[in-house]
Amino acid sequence: MNATTALRNGWQKVFGAGARSARPAPGDTSHGTILYLEDISVSFDGFKALNALTLYIDAGELRCIIGPNGAGKTTMMDVITGKTRPDAGSAWFGQTTDLLTLSEPQIAEAGIGRKFQKPTVFEQHTVMENLELAVAGTKTIWTTLGSPLDRRQHERIEEVLETIRLQDRRSMRAGMLSHGQKQWLEIGMLLAQEPRLLLVDEPVAGMTPQEVERTAELLLSLAGKHSVMVVEHDMDFVRSIARRVTVLHEGHVLAEGTIDEVQNDPRVVEVYLGE
Amino acid sequence: MQTSHPAIRLLAGERGTQVFLALLLTVGVAAPIMHLAFPEGSALHLSSYTMTLMGKYMTYALLAIAVDLVWGYCGILSLGHAAFFALGGYAMGMYLMRQIGTRGVYGDPVLPDFMVFLNWQELPWFWHGFDMFWFAALMVIVVPGLLALAFGWLAFRSRVTGVYLSIITQALTYALMLAFFRNDMGFGGNNGLTDFKDILGANINAPGTRVALFVASAVALGLGYLACRYITLSRAGRVVQAIRDAESRTRFIGYRVESYKLWVFAFSAVLAGIAGALYVPQVGIINPSEFQPINSIEIVIWVAVGGRGTLYGAVAGAVLVNYAKTYFTATIPELWLYALGTLFVIVTLFLPKGVVGLADKFTSREPAARAVTA
């Protein structure tokens, strides 16, 4: 029995399984919390990247995560998106979706989108094609081979183009965009997936002040409709968008609160802000 | 905006494709006429040698398209595609062997000569069914396809990529070569399968049959090209190119990358198998040297020389390199491998988009925007 189940799961992973695929029910947030990370530990060759990390994100919240290099911010995102499996702990998306049992595409399908630190748009594809690749819908090869986008998907793409203000760049190759525009396109690709939770890694690194301001507006406009988790070093930027800030240090949560509370916390000052 | 259905865009908008299809149509119609309608000695007569040579190039071109699909578009550098080509060839060869009947040297009505020679009493189980053309034709597709599915499923699921994948594809074709060299395998050992007489009841050496095989190769090349072009123009094609450019990114936006790679790889293997099946009756022999690792590497060179990621570039490369090979191996055979090596170095260093990239540079108003920048 177990062998059959394992075989079927493997089959579905590689071949995609149409109607039979166990599409995970999207995170049930009836308790107001969309992400539960509890006692997560990850170690690489003895180095504890995450050490009993416990963190909750509320539905519709915009949360900033700060912390010195090596505090475990990226590893935490890797765990949430299924790239890294923790040695211990649990990770739930809403009350019903156990992230640790899902593969990366299944997690994306369940409604968690991630923006990487470096802009990783598809440079050879146009802006439009980038959004088309990302837009929510069936993503098995038989669908993408046989049928063009439906009307709802087209509308969604137009909506996103407007939000990220790249309408007039739609036919441009993404590789030709400026750094800031690439970052927005990438956020747009996340939005096109209609995620419940967005993970955004250092969105304003390397941006001009105008671009930073525009990005802050963009992220603020998303909160409420989506839950957003932003990892960022730029304290001015964090101050301009965050209501709640979590400070990570050596793989666990050091402090949590408003930006003022956190900045005045002596432990935080010692490890991070005081440097 | 890309609202039109891919089928409409198959023929439109790309000059390379239009030129290729026009050439293929011209050659596919003109060559048989020149061969059959004009008597030998006439200036317009095409010899059966040239005819067969062109048919052979067409099967190579189909093989090159198959490699371009996985390498140029999906980023999988397969150095084992000659194995799928040879398997398709063996499936066809087995059918042709069964057609010999009592005309073999030993005159056994069922057993091919080499089995009689090895003192075998009955036909091995895997030779059954190959007396029927439809069964052999099915096997031409099924055997390479299934091998590619099994191999790809193991390799892609374990996320073997890049140079490691290339190495195990070399190992695959090398292992098959060693296996097929053994007499016990039941595929004629190092002599392979040859001495064919009939195909579908027609004498395999008759001019009419030669023409039919030539036309079949041209049709297969045309259809294979259009199928690949359909794939690359569909949304799936853009997903496949996204996988080539940023695999893990594609996985994160919700695509089952392994599944895409697997199906593209299997489809490509089937095309290679069909090419092999058309190759064997035209050259009259299939033996284990077709599995040589160097053969698979040569295909990759054809594609690189022509220009990968364009399909028509692969065709151009296959024809150019093989024409050069035919010419050089006839005149200065000892220099051919050096010439091939030099060609590859020059193309890699100076022509990252191959000869079609060069042609585009000189003639086109807009550069080949989609071609891979190496």
Side-chain angles (χ1 to χ4, degrees):
Chain A
M1 182 61 205
N2 266 339
T4 345
T5 321
L7 201 66
R8 189 196 302 147
N9 286 343
W11 174 268
Q12 289 179 355
K13 240 187 219 164
V14 173
F15 291 89
R20 276 192 307 139
S21 91
R23 191 193 161 103
D28 161 24
T29 55
S30 52
H31 293 191
T33 304
I34 193 159
L35 183 72
Y36 300 77
L37 298 179
E38 287 170 345
D39 291 320
I40 300 266
S41 290
V42 175
S43 52
F44 299 115
D45 296 328
F47 170 70
K48 284 220 163 204
L50 291 180
N51 189 3
L53 174 81
T54 298
L55 182 72
Y56 305 99
I57 305 287
D58 291 342
E61 182 182 1
L62 173 59
R63 173 78 63 96
C64 280
I65 312 284
I66 60 174
N69 282 331
K73 296 168 302 212
T74 303
T75 311
M76 178 184 70
M77 292 219 180
D78 286 347
V79 168
I80 298 169
T81 53
K83 191 179 179 193
T84 300
R85 295 290 181 206
D87 306 324
S90 61
W92 289 78
F93 183 48
Q95 269 93 59
T96 50
T97 311
D98 182 356
L99 293 175
L100 302 185
T101 61
L102 301 183
S103 67
E104 290 158 79
Q106 285 174 323
I107 290 173
E109 219 174 298
I112 297 183
R114 176 177 189 179
K115 200 203 94 45
F116 289 83
Q117 200 164 330
K118 273 193 256 161
T120 47
V121 295
F122 298 106
E123 307 225 330
Q124 303 285 326
H125 293 66
T126 64
V127 168
M128 188 70 193
E129 287 171 344
N130 267 278
L131 293 172
E132 176 205 75
L133 280 167
V135 76
T138 318
K139 290 184 171 176
T140 63
I141 187 163
W142 307 118
T143 316
T144 55
L145 197 58
S147 51
L149 294 177
D150 59 33
R151 228 189 54 208
R152 200 190 54 76
Q153 288 172 313
H154 272 296
E155 285 166 5
R156 180 70 192 151
I157 289 176
E158 288 306 316
E159 220 175 282
V160 170
L161 274 172
E162 201 182 311
T163 311
I164 60 173
R165 297 190 194 167
L166 289 177
Q167 297 108 306
D168 53 340
R169 298 273 194 284
R170 67 175 72 220
S171 306
M172 190 184 256
R173 272 210 295 145
M176 313 286 283
L177 296 175
S178 77
H179 176 74
Q181 288 169 334
K182 279 184 195 167
Q183 298 280 31
W184 299 333
L185 173 56
E186 197 171 348
I187 292 172
M189 289 167 72
L190 280 185
L191 294 176
Q193 292 174 65
E194 299 173 16
R196 311 276 306 278
L197 171 64
L198 275 108
L199 310 178
V200 185
D201 206 348
E202 299 202 16
V204 298
M207 278 191 177
T208 64
Q210 291 89 332
E211 287 175 333
V212 171
E213 199 180 310
R214 172 74 196 112
T215 308
E217 269 174 46
L218 180 57
L219 289 175
L220 281 170
S221 77
L222 301 180
K225 260 188 288 177
H226 311 267
S227 313
V228 186
M229 183 200 262
V230 181
V231 165
E232 186 52 68
H233 282 303
D234 185 330
M235 288 308 293
D236 291 335
F237 180 71
V238 170
R239 178 170 283 279
S240 71
I241 62 166
R243 282 151 241 184
R244 277 178 82 76
V245 176
T246 299
V247 184
L248 291 193
H249 178 55
E250 290 176 348
H252 65 270
V253 175
L254 185 69
E256 201 168 284
T258 65
I259 182 86
D260 290 322
E261 285 167 11
V262 164
Q263 274 184 318
N264 294 323
D265 188 314
R267 290 168 306 170
V268 176
V269 173
E270 191 188 331
V271 304
Y272 183 57
L273 299 164
E275 278 171 12
Chain B
M1 232 169 94
Q2 275 127 358
T3 41
S4 63
H5 195 270
I8 303 162
R9 291 184 287 132
L10 271 188
L11 301 169
E14 195 185 50
R15 215 179 22 170
T17 294
Q18 292 160 351
V19 169
F20 160 70
L21 289 174
L23 270 176
L24 182 68
L25 192 66
T26 315
V27 172
V29 172
I33 294 175
M34 287 165 74
H35 179 56
L36 293 178
F38 294 93
E40 249 172 89
S42 156
L44 286 172
H45 177 74
L46 199 69
S47 71
S48 98
Y49 168 77
T50 315
M51 181 92 182
T52 303
L53 196 66
M54 282 162 59
K56 197 173 87 169
Y57 287 174
M58 283 187 181
T59 64
Y60 284 155
L62 183 57
L63 178 58
I65 288 174
V67 169
D68 195 22
L69 185 67
V70 289
W71 184 37
Y73 288 90
C74 198
I76 303 167
L77 177 53
S78 166
L79 295 180
H81 256 57
F84 304 121
F85 180 81
L87 285 173
Y90 264 98
M92 178 58 81
M94 287 162 80
Y95 162 75
L96 295 170
M97 289 305 270
R98 297 290 306 271
Q99 298 307 299
I100 296 173
T102 53
R103 287 167 295 174
V105 178
Y106 298 103
D108 191 295
V110 177
L111 295 187
D113 277 349
F114 74 88
M115 291 185 192
V116 181
F117 183 76
L118 292 171
N119 253 330
W120 291 13
Q121 298 308 312
E122 57 183 47
L123 207 61
W125 62 269
F126 48 84
W127 274 80
H128 287 281
F130 277 95
D131 50 333
M132 293 169 285
F133 183 80
W134 68 265
F135 182 81
L138 190 67
M139 289 302 119
V140 162
I141 290 167
V142 167
V143 173
L146 276 186
L147 177 67
L149 280 178
F151 178 85
W153 145 272
L154 291 170
F156 301 142
R157 195 191 49 165
S158 320
R159 303 210 178 157
V160 179
T161 53
V163 68
Y164 302 102
L165 186 92
S166 303
I167 290 169
I168 57 170
T169 56
Q170 281 265 284
L172 170 77
T173 193
Y174 190 66
L176 282 168
M177 179 182 75
L178 294 182
F180 274 73
F181 262 127
R182 297 176 59 233
N183 280 332
D184 310 349
M185 273 292 279
F187 294 103
N190 64 342
N191 293 323
L193 312 175
T194 187
D195 242 348
F196 309 134
K197 311 278 189 224
D198 292 341
I199 181 165
L200 288 170
N203 180 351
I204 203 161
N205 291 313
T209 317
R210 293 268 142 196
V211 165
L213 286 168
F214 172 86
V215 171
S217 304
V219 169
L221 176 58
L223 291 179
Y225 187 95
L226 288 177
C228 288
R229 185 146 166 78
Y230 176 85
I231 292 173
T232 58
L233 283 178
S234 71
R235 284 164 62 205
R238 291 192 283 281
V239 175
V240 162
Q241 290 170 67
I243 292 170
R244 173 194 71 195
D245 295 339
E247 180 170 330
S248 67
R249 182 75 178 92
T250 315
R251 192 172 285 123
F252 270 118
I253 54 178
Y255 291 95
R256 291 172 207 276
V257 166
E258 288 71 29
S259 155
Y260 275 82
K261 284 171 124 179
L262 186 60
W263 288 115
V264 169
F265 190 65
F267 180 72
S268 165
V270 167
L271 283 186
I274 293 171
L278 288 162
Y279 169 83
V280 167
Q282 298 189 78
V283 298
I285 184 168
I286 174 82
N287 65 33
S289 66
E290 294 293 339
F291 286 108
Q292 280 181 95
I294 182 86
N295 284 22
S296 297
I297 295 173
E298 259 188 54
I299 309 165
V300 167
I301 296 179
W302 305 342
V303 177
V305 167
R308 67 192 158 117
T310 58
L311 296 179
Y312 56 88
V315 175
V319 173
L320 278 177
V321 176
N322 280 294
Y323 181 74
K325 184 178 186 176
T326 307
Y327 180 80
F328 279 114
T329 48
T331 49
I332 30 174
E334 63 279 8
L335 282 185
W336 164 243
L337 279 179
Y338 295 103
L340 184 69
T342 314
L343 188 65
F344 189 56
V345 171
I346 290 173
V347 165
T348 312
L349 287 181
F350 303 110
L351 300 173
K353 290 175 185 172
V355 289
V356 297
L358 191 70
D360 273 347
K361 212 186 247 175
F362 285 120
T363 59
S364 179
R365 280 138 293 169
E366 46 168 359
R370 249 51 246 301
V372 192
T373 42

